[in-house]
Amino acid sequence: MAFPKLLITGCNGLVGRILWKKLSDDFDLYGLDISPGEPSGKIFQADVSDLEQVKSMFSRVPSLTYVAHLAGDPRVDASWDSVFANNIGGTKNVYDAAQTFGVRRIVFASSNHVTGAYEGFPPSLHARPNPALIARRDPIRPDSFYGVSKAAGEAIARLYYEFYGLESICLRIGSVTKEDDPRVNPRFESTWLSHRDLVQLVKKSLKADVKFGIYYGVSNNTKRFWDISNAEVELGYRPEDDASKFMI
Amino acid sequence: MAFPKLLITGCNGLVGRILWKKLSDDFDLYGLDISPGEPSGKIFQADVSDLEQVKSMFSRVPSLTYVAHLAGDPRVDASWDSVFANNIGGTKNVYDAAQTFGVRRIVFASSNHVTGAYEGFPPSLHARPNPALIARRDPIRPDSFYGVSKAAGEAIARLYYEFYGLESICLRIGSVTKEDDPRVNPRFESTWLSHRDLVQLVKKSLKADVKFGIYYGVSNNTKRFWDISNAEVELGYRPEDDASKFMI
């Protein structure tokens, strides 16, 4: 039996590269990125802020079932103009194309910065003992234009689920590091998401029975301050790593 | 003592005209609209989707304290391109200018369509007996690109409050009709907001001690399905009208 097709937008970014390596055993992978990256017949160059480019790219992958939508400006301090076009506009374009071409489910890379203001300016929650957990039902408190853009992306995802039945799992991803080591920033002892926990979370998001949800993506860090109980119950997420084990 | 200055964006729209008439006893009013409307030294023509036009207009009203931000595409079935530019981009531009010029508080015209999908497609909740109230803490469920754009506006408002301390009261306004009569649509027996309740709600939003909040704006309709308890407690809102009294 053929693997189901999964398109990763932003496949040449940090998270995209991790997923590309680890999801090929279960999915027939396609990629989209604004940068050309390594040449491949299955990776297409397109700018998600341009609807025609996105639709043209989707048209080249018949019977596409899943999308992992990671494309966009990943910088927390990105300008309004950039996140407006790339993150808000780009997310609407990807959902538009996905709905047009019959995609069943999108895993959307939202961000912990949707509620980043709970951590203070600059973030200090990680330095406090036993802070109350921030949970999915708490009101959004973006800390940046980037955080606003991800909140808008979650709203777009919700609309396409309500109106068209296009399923979405929105992941408020924590701190993923290139070297898979949380010790580069004291905050990451709370917010780190290891590569293998990321991969588990995305795989389970693609397969879960729940059809729409918003979840924090974080490892089982001793100092974690995001509530992952809904991810445990609804997705079966069982994170294996703990940033505190790296700290001496 | 001089009245505090209040700028109404979208002053020539339906809600804008109602507020313009009723707030002049308490505020020194200024207006901004994309259409020229009646000529006046205190009403400026500007397109909120253009940041330079918005900033130029704000610069002409020294010591501006309050903004009622109503400008944007008001149609529930507006296209993505229109709400993207006018409602999302326009709201960011108004907040940007307000922060730049030292505004203290914005009353933002959000919309019940941020949670419109709770009503079904097409809306049928108003026809059900005793539906559960939809409350501010319930997850957003936009029913349209318009609803997405207002959810994004609430996120922008929250960011400016968190980051700059610019205060915002976001009102998820119900159904305001030109003739102030709810009988034009059966749904309005639940969702109607009378002119005088609108004016009371906006006045109290401008004066309330609370510095950020999101509230449903609806009259005291017998068939109301939005929870206004937080508006009663935090703003002192006491709606006086009931759509059911119009129905024979």
Side-chain angles (χ1 to χ4, degrees), chain B residues 33-73:
Chain B
D33 207 280
I34 196 168
S35 73
E38 293 134 35
S40 156
K42 296 176 74 184
I43 297 185
F44 304 93
Q45 191 174 1
D47 178 347
V48 290
S49 75
D50 183 324
L51 178 59
E52 292 317 308
Q53 286 187 39
V54 175
K55 283 195 167 170
S56 163
M57 189 267 137
F58 271 70
S59 73
R60 295 165 72 180
V61 188
S63 307
L64 179 62
T65 306
Y66 298 111
V67 172
H69 174 46
L70 317 173
D73 192 325

Side-chain angles (χ1 to χ4, degrees), chain A:
Chain A
M1 203 184 79
F3 289 150
K5 289 181 185 172
L6 166 64
L7 168 69
I8 300 176
T9 74
C11 63
N12 292 333
L14 173 59
V15 171
R17 286 173 190 271
I18 296 165
L19 295 183
W20 188 269
K21 271 187 207 147
K22 300 292 188 180
L23 295 181
S24 59
D25 290 346
D26 299 296
F27 296 93
D28 182 13
L29 292 181
Y30 290 79
L32 174 162
D33 207 279
I34 197 169
S35 74
E38 293 133 37
S40 155
K42 296 176 74 185
I43 298 185
F44 304 92
Q45 192 174 0
D47 178 347
V48 291
S49 74
D50 182 325
L51 179 60
E52 293 316 309
Q53 286 188 39
V54 174
K55 283 195 166 170
S56 163
M57 189 267 135
F58 270 70
S59 72
R60 295 165 72 179
V61 187
S63 306
L64 180 62
T65 307
Y66 298 110
V67 171
H69 174 45
L70 317 173
D73 193 324
R75 298 169 302 160
V76 180
D77 62 349
S79 71
W80 172 257
D81 287 349
S82 178
V83 299
F84 184 58
N86 297 306
N87 299 19
I88 303 179
T91 295
K92 186 272 173 180
N93 290 340
V94 166
Y95 273 81
D96 186 328
Q99 189 274 322
T100 301
F101 290 96
V103 167
R104 182 192 306 164
R105 173 172 295 208
I106 297 181
V107 173
F108 168 55
S110 183
S111 168
N112 70 86
H113 293 281
V114 167
T115 53
Y118 284 96
E119 296 182 51
F121 296 95
S124 60
L125 193 63
H126 59 274
R128 265 182 258 163
N130 304 313
L133 292 183
I134 302 161
R136 183 271 178 273
R137 290 293 290 254
D138 291 318
I140 64 164
R141 292 178 62 187
D143 58 9
S144 53
F145 290 136
Y146 174 79
V148 168
S149 76
K150 293 297 186 177
E154 292 179 358
I156 291 164
R158 185 87 205 201
L159 173 65
Y160 276 84
Y161 174 63
E162 299 287 353
F163 203 83
Y164 297 108
L166 174 54
E167 301 170 9
S168 276
I169 303 297
C170 303
L171 300 176
R172 290 179 177 169
I173 294 174
S175 304
V176 177
T177 67
K178 189 171 180 187
E179 308 299 342
D180 208 14
D181 185 327
R183 285 173 292 188
V184 290
N185 185 324
R187 176 175 173 266
F188 294 177
E189 192 173 349
S190 300
T191 61
W192 184 53
L193 175 61
S194 73
H195 291 193
R196 66 174 174 172
D197 287 340
L198 166 68
V199 170
Q200 181 201 147
L201 181 60
V202 171
K203 280 187 177 177
K204 288 182 169 168
S205 296
L206 289 163
K207 303 287 177 100
D209 287 334
V210 62
K211 292 185 187 339
F212 183 90
I214 298 176
Y215 308 93
Y216 287 94
V218 63
S219 284
N220 194 26
N221 305 321
T222 300
K223 295 190 67 180
R224 171 169 61 79
F225 49 67
W226 296 314
D227 182 357
I228 58 168
S229 59
N230 64 338
E232 292 171 332
V233 171
E234 295 169 22
L235 306 176
Y237 178 52
R238 297 286 179 274
E240 299 178 272
D241 292 306
D242 180 350
S244 289
K245 294 194 177 150
F246 286 72
M247 311 292 169
I248 310 295

Side-chain angles (χ1 to χ4, degrees), chain B residues 156-189:
Chain B
I156 291 164
R158 184 89 205 199
L159 172 65
Y160 276 84
Y161 174 63
E162 298 287 353
F163 203 83
Y164 297 107
L166 174 53
E167 302 170 7
S168 277
I169 304 297
C170 303
L171 301 176
R172 290 179 177 169
I173 293 174
S175 304
V176 177
T177 68
K178 190 172 179 187
E179 308 299 342
D180 208 16
D181 186 327
R183 285 173 293 189
V184 291
N185 185 324
R187 177 175 173 266
F188 294 176
E189 192 173 350

Side-chain angles (χ1 to χ4, degrees), chain B residues 6-223:
Chain B
L6 165 64
L7 168 69
I8 300 177
T9 74
C11 63
N12 292 333
L14 172 60
V15 171
R17 286 175 189 271
I18 297 164
L19 296 183
W20 188 268
K21 269 187 211 149
K22 299 292 187 181
L23 295 181
S24 59
D25 289 346
D26 299 297
F27 297 93
D28 182 14
L29 293 182
Y30 291 79
L32 175 162
D33 207 280
I34 196 168
S35 73
E38 293 134 35
S40 156
K42 296 176 74 184
I43 297 185
F44 304 93
Q45 191 174 1
D47 178 347
V48 290
S49 75
D50 183 324
L51 178 59
E52 292 317 308
Q53 286 187 39
V54 175
K55 283 195 167 170
S56 163
M57 189 267 137
F58 271 70
S59 73
R60 295 165 72 180
V61 188
S63 307
L64 179 62
T65 306
Y66 298 111
V67 172
H69 174 46
L70 317 173
D73 192 325
R75 298 169 301 159
V76 180
D77 61 349
S79 71
W80 172 257
D81 286 348
S82 177
V83 299
F84 184 56
N86 297 307
N87 299 19
I88 304 178
T91 295
K92 186 271 170 181
N93 291 340
V94 166
Y95 273 80
D96 186 327
Q99 189 275 321
T100 301
F101 289 96
V103 167
R104 182 193 305 163
R105 173 171 297 209
I106 297 181
V107 174
F108 168 56
S110 183
S111 168
N112 70 86
H113 292 281
V114 168
T115 52
Y118 284 96
E119 296 184 51
F121 296 94
S124 61
L125 193 62
H126 59 275
R128 265 181 258 163
N130 303 314
L133 292 183
I134 303 161
R136 183 270 179 274
R137 290 294 289 255
D138 290 319
I140 64 163
R141 292 178 61 187
D143 58 9
S144 53
F145 288 136
Y146 174 79
V148 167
S149 77
K150 293 298 186 178
E154 292 178 358
I156 291 164
R158 184 89 205 199
L159 172 65
Y160 276 84
Y161 174 63
E162 298 287 353
F163 203 83
Y164 297 107
L166 174 53
E167 302 170 7
S168 277
I169 304 297
C170 303
L171 301 176
R172 290 179 177 169
I173 293 174
S175 304
V176 177
T177 68
K178 190 172 179 187
E179 308 299 342
D180 208 16
D181 186 327
R183 285 173 293 189
V184 291
N185 185 324
R187 177 175 173 266
F188 294 176
E189 192 173 350
S190 300
T191 62
W192 184 53
L193 176 61
S194 73
H195 292 193
R196 66 173 174 172
D197 286 342
L198 166 68
V199 170
Q200 181 201 149
L201 182 59
V202 170
K203 279 188 178 177
K204 288 183 169 169
S205 295
L206 288 163
K207 303 285 177 104
D209 288 334
V210 62
K211 293 182 187 336
F212 183 91
I214 298 176
Y215 309 92
Y216 287 94
V218 64
S219 284
N220 195 26
N221 306 320
T222 301
K223 294 190 69 180

